[in-house]
């Protein structure tokens, strides 16, 4: 594929830093570089492929914008597989923006989010799963998710999908031979061997799908919402988990009126912790809005942690919240166990009539925090994924495609078992091949491609 337009963008994040990079890709990249860049002593040299060139960037009035290093990567050995020029200037907002403006004046167009990576995909340098992994690596919040994405960029998932597809194609060839020569008797042993082959492939897809639940958690993290009535220790829990005094803690009920949230890393899993306003009847309008937000957040949580003051009997606000979390993934903290406890685990379990895990804590003394972290981790993660070597499915789109492929293959086996004509059976096989091909991008629509890349960040 050849794109006529040359695109450009700032590839580094906005703000002050050591260097900032303007990236240019497309047929005009080299020409634009010649126009904006001056070698020392105003001399002219050819740009050498894959070398760093020292010089200055000047504007159209010949004024120097910055002292820079410039690299030229000749097509097709570049990120986009097109001619790429990167100008490394001093970090900061002004210099990079001025250089970008100059580049645009000389004929480049501002790149859309993800457009460089999209070109790399459309030019066939990487497949869709690899492109998606680039974005995952850029947005990874933990070591574990970064490692999985890095494996996927070099093609671990694509390779696995590729082998499965090849095996399906071989089976397809067998079926087609039989369809093409119907006069020859259907070869029973061959049908059996096709059936076996499909069975094995279903097993492999199953193994991949088993990594998907945890894979998704590694990639996206989880949202944990702390709820409870006022003054039970919710903000103290947030602070304890973050190991800093992020939320204001006082003995005045209604101290937290808005939602406070932050990220923590629990053994490689990004956990978004949300502290909420305590649920109670209140005349305070701001607090009431906060309480409304508490309820909303509770509904969107992957895990709800309910904090209960164990030194007081259960109140009607506690009952209301317990009712709310009954059919949710939840964890209950019986806090303030340093005081004289009135409530025990048994009281709570009886009230709920179900088994939700309960941990005793004293957040002022720091007792039980490790246990809470352990519980959060094990409630989501059984540790089945070894981020280092396993092929892990982390993306919902890939998971859905695998499920589609699997169900088509199951239909196929059923077809074989009920002696359906082979040309009908082969439709299922094609369906499975298409579903798998959508993961790597062999069989996807332009709309889907646009949608995937529009979620990328600028300059990538
Ligand atoms: N004795 C005791 N007091 C606690 C404990 N946890 C929190 N508190 C106190 O309870 C009050 C309310 O705490 P806070 O975290 O603001 O509760 P929130 O309203 O639920 O956010 C504060 O005075 C805390 O110091 C605990 O484990 N033991
Ligand atoms: Mg609070």
């Amino acid at each position: 594929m050849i794109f006529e337009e040359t695109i450009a963008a700032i590839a580094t994040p906005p703000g002050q830093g050591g260097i900032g990079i303007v990236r240019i890709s497309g047929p005009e990249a080299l020409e634009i570089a010649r126009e904006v860049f001056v070698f020392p002593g105003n001399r002219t040299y050819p740009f050498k492929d894959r070398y760093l060139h020292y010089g200055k960037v000047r504007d159209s009035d010949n004024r120097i914008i910055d002292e820079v290093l410039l690299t030229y990567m000749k097509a097709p050995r570049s990120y986009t597989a097109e001619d790429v020029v990167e100008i490394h200037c001093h970090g900061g907002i002004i210099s990079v923006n001025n250089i970008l403006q100059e580049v645009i004046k000389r004929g480049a167009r501002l790149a859309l989010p993800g457009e460089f990576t999209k070109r790399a995909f459309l030019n066939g340098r990487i497949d869709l799963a690899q492109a998606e992994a680039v974005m995952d690596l850029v947005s990874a919040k933990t070591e574990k998710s970064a490692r999985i994405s890095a494996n996927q960029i070099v093609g671990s998932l694509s390779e696995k999908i590729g082998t499965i597809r090849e095996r399906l194609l071989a089976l397809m060839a067998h079926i087609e031979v039989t369809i093409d020569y119907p006069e020859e008797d259907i070869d029973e042993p061959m049908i059996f061997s096709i059936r076996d082959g499909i069975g094995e492939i279903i097993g492999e897809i199953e193994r991949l799908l088993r990594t998907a639940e945890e894979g998704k958690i590694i990639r996206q993290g989880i949202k944990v919402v702390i709820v409870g009535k006022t003054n039970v220790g919710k903000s103290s829990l947030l602070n304890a988990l973050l190991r800093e005094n992020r939320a204001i803690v006082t003995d005045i009920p209604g101290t937290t009126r808005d939602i406070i949230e932050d990220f923590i890393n629990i053994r490689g899993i990004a956990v978004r912790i949300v502290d909420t306003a305590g649920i109670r009847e209140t005349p305070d309008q701001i607090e009431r809005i906060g309480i409304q937000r508490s309820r909303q957040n509770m509904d969107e949580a992957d895990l709800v942690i309910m904090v209960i003051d164990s030194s007081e009997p259960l109140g009607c606000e506690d009952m209301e919240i317990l009712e709310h979390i009954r059919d949710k993934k939840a964890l209950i903290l019986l806090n303030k166990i340093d005081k004289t406890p009135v409530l025990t685990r048994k009281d709570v379990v009886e009230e709920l009539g179900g088994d939700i895990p309960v941990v005793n804590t004293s957040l002022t003394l720091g007792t039980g925090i490790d246990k809470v972290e352990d519980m959060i981790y094990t409630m989501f993660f059984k540790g089945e994924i070894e981020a280092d070597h396993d092929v892990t499915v982390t993306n919902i789109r890939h998971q859905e495609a695998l499920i589609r492929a699997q169900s088509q293959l199951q239909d196929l086996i059923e077809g074989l078992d009920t002696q359906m004509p082979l040309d009908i059976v082969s439709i299922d096989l094609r369906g499975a091949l298409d579903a798998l091909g959508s993961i790597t991008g062999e069989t996807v629509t332009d709309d889907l491609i646009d949608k995937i890349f529009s979620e990328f960040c600028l300059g990538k």
Side-chain angles (χ1 to χ4, degrees), residues 18 20 36-38 55-59 63-69 87-91 94-96 98-99:
V36 298
F37 183 86
V38 256
K56 296 184 175 65
V57 169
R58 59 171 173 208
D59 64 16
R63 277 183 310 213
I64 301 300
I65 297 178
D66 200 355
E67 181 189 36
V68 303
L69 288 170
I87 301 174
H88 302 211
C89 64
H90 289 103
I94 306 298
S95 197
V96 251
N98 284 347
I99 291 174

Side-chain angles (χ1 to χ4, degrees), residues 231-236 249-251 335-336 338 362-364:
N231 241 19
V232 290
K234 296 181 296 302
S235 299
S236 305
V249 170
T250 72
D251 54 3
N335 190 34
K336 307 200 187 182
D338 51 291
S362 165
L363 294 170
T364 40

